[in-house]
Amino acid sequence: MFSILAIESSCDETAVAIIKDDKLLCNVISSQIEVHQKYGGVMPEIASRLHLENIGVVLKEALDKASMKIQDIDAIAFTRGPGLIGALHIGLQAAKTIALFYNKPLIPVHHLVGHIYANEFITNFEFPMLCIVVSGGNTEFVIMNKDLDFNIIGETLDDAVGECFDKVARVLDLPYPGGVYIDKKAKEGEHKFLFKSPHADGYNFSYSGLKTSVINEVNKLKMKNIPYKVEDVAKSFQDVAIDIIVEKAKKAAKEYNVKMICLAGGVSANSYLRQEMSKAFENSNIKLILPPIWCTTDNAAMIAKAGVHLYKAKVFANLDIGVDPNWKIEDFNKF
Ligand code: KG4
């Protein structure tokens, strides 16, 4: 057996985790969320600086918690992309430094592969499997026929669903990260507004029209001083944003004859999505994995979990590797 130390720094969380013999020994996360909240979104420059300040401390805490020394680790995994370029660089440089100094193999991990494998903390995978990846930067339907096999069957043609939640939250004067607050407000609202569906051909999505239709409606109400309930806008928006995902998931599950479905990424924390997916598959023989909430936000445990599969498949990088902010999941082993 072997141990993996993983580093995640793709956005606003500096995180280090260690897995040994498939057991998670530690999962340390330093979140920058309070700093970015002041700006209503992540400020890339500030994110990079904070990663730089935090990485050493988080690394030390992780090793202390796991009662391990870097010498005892077998390989270093790190998030190579997608993400913010400056933020990714801090994780890359930390991983490279350790790999060079202690002569350890380096494992580049795709951030969304990490989000998908976070579900292995719940149960082992059964294939074919449909992975519904819904985050701040991505909206993808991915079919896996075996481990480390990712086939995109549909994706957003413009904005990601999480980005759409965040922009709608902003026009409603809700704090960052908007998805969390829309989810809360929607619970007390009624579906009173008619917004554009994010439907696109096949398993694709288009969230930019929905975003614009909500922003235009709210701005119109504000300008004309017409009173409205934030809760009703949130509910009307969330229903349209999520229902289409559930509808397409039902179709894809049938077409690809899947045994299992998992949710992955920040938006998989959405309570309405979880409720509707559970309802849609409760009387079927398809197993639905809902990731625990701690796995829906960025962490290094998921990078370590993906790292275990990559280690076994000997997916290692040379020390001249760079980051890729736009890395495609299908190219997870190309760098
Ligand atoms: O996975 P993540 O950190 O994004 C990327 O790595 O790209 O997810 C962050 C996104 C944000 O857009 C946030 O608003 C959204 O996930 N989010 C939610 C919820 N919690 C977080 N969206 C809807 N409902 C939630 N409960």
Side-chain angles (χ1 to χ4, degrees):
M1 291 304 267
F2 53 89
S3 56
I4 307 256
L5 181 144
I7 300 173
E8 155 66 33
S9 70
S10 65
C11 190
D12 56 351
E13 255 96 26
T14 319
V16 175
I18 299 173
I19 279 188
K20 189 179 179 198
D21 302 342
D22 252 354
K23 192 168 166 253
L24 183 64
L25 299 186
C26 64
N27 183 29
V28 181
I29 304 171
S30 165
S31 176
Q32 311 172 358
I33 206 153
E34 280 176 22
V35 178
H36 298 293
Q37 260 170 352
K38 285 183 217 145
Y39 304 96
V42 177
M43 294 292 282
E45 253 318 296
I46 296 176
S48 313
R49 280 164 201 269
L50 291 175
H51 283 307
L52 190 56
E53 276 176 29
N54 295 336
I55 187 70
V57 181
V58 174
L59 188 61
K60 182 170 185 320
E61 193 180 329
L63 288 163
D64 288 349
K65 278 203 170 145
S67 303
M68 286 183 87
K69 294 199 169 74
I70 292 189
Q71 291 90 318
D72 309 328
I73 303 283
D74 290 297
I76 313 297
F78 70 99
T79 305
R80 177 180 178 251
L84 301 171
I85 187 162
L88 288 166
H89 258 288
I90 308 300
L92 168 85
Q93 299 307 340
K96 270 190 188 179
T97 307
I98 302 169
L100 176 67
F101 199 83
Y102 293 94
N103 196 22
K104 305 285 178 194
L106 199 53
I107 306 175
V109 181
H110 190 287
H111 184 72
L112 299 180
V113 170
H115 269 303
I116 290 171
Y117 274 108
N119 286 287
E120 262 199 343
F121 285 112
I122 307 290
T123 183
N124 288 333
F125 289 175
E126 288 174 37
F127 305 109
M129 172 163 153
L130 168 65
C131 311
I132 299 179
V133 183
V134 277
S135 73
N138 299 80
T139 310
E140 284 173 8
F141 272 27
V142 178
I143 294 285
M144 289 178 75
N145 291 309
K146 56 182 191 303
D147 270 317
L148 297 180
D149 169 62
F150 308 101
N151 307 282
I152 300 176
I153 57 161
E155 61 193 324
T156 182
L157 304 177
D158 38 58
D159 296 351
V161 58
E163 187 185 342
C164 189
F165 267 86
D166 294 339
K167 296 279 160 56
V168 166
R170 195 179 283 188
V171 78
L172 292 173
D173 303 312
L174 297 172
Y176 176 84
V180 178
Y181 297 91
I182 298 258
D183 192 352
K184 278 191 192 142
K185 292 284 176 196
K187 286 190 181 130
E188 290 138 35
E190 284 176 50
H191 192 127
K192 287 192 173 163
F193 297 88
L194 205 61
F195 295 130
K196 192 176 182 305
S197 164
H199 171 73
D201 280 354
Y203 298 113
N204 291 327
F205 302 88
S206 166
Y207 278 95
S208 107
L210 170 60
K211 175 188 75 182
T212 311
S213 84
V214 181
I215 292 175
N216 287 349
E217 180 68 27
V218 174
N219 283 339
K220 196 176 80 191
L221 295 168
K222 281 181 179 172
M223 254 168 12
K224 294 187 177 172
N225 274 326
I226 301 172
Y228 63 93
K229 280 176 76 182
V230 167
E231 289 80 358
D232 293 342
V233 179
K235 170 75 179 145
S236 311
F237 157 71
Q238 184 177 264
D239 284 357
V240 190
I242 299 295
D243 286 348
I244 192 81
I245 297 173
V246 180
E247 198 182 301
K248 289 191 191 238
K250 284 198 245 175
K251 270 195 203 139
K254 213 169 176 185
E255 185 180 338
Y256 291 88
N257 213 3
V258 303
K259 290 203 178 117
M260 196 171 248
I261 301 182
C262 76
L263 297 183
V267 183
S268 68
N270 184 268
S271 59
Y272 180 66
L273 174 63
R274 288 169 166 254
Q275 173 196 302
E276 292 305 298
M277 284 296 289
S278 303
K279 269 198 225 157
F281 295 97
E282 66 188 346
N283 292 321
S284 78
N285 46 14
I286 297 168
K287 291 179 197 152
L288 173 70
I289 322 179
L290 297 177
I293 297 296
W294 72 265
C295 272
T296 64
T297 50
D298 289 346
N299 63 83
M302 66 185 198
I303 303 303
K305 200 74 174 158
V308 168
H309 288 275
L310 294 162
Y311 184 87
K312 287 182 186 161
K314 296 191 169 42
V315 180
F316 301 130
N318 294 328
L319 282 171
D320 60 358
I321 188 171
V323 298
D324 185 351
N326 302 310
W327 204 11
K328 291 288 259 181
I329 196 167
E330 286 159 330
D331 296 334
F332 76 96
N333 55 358
K334 296 193 188 93
F335 32 80

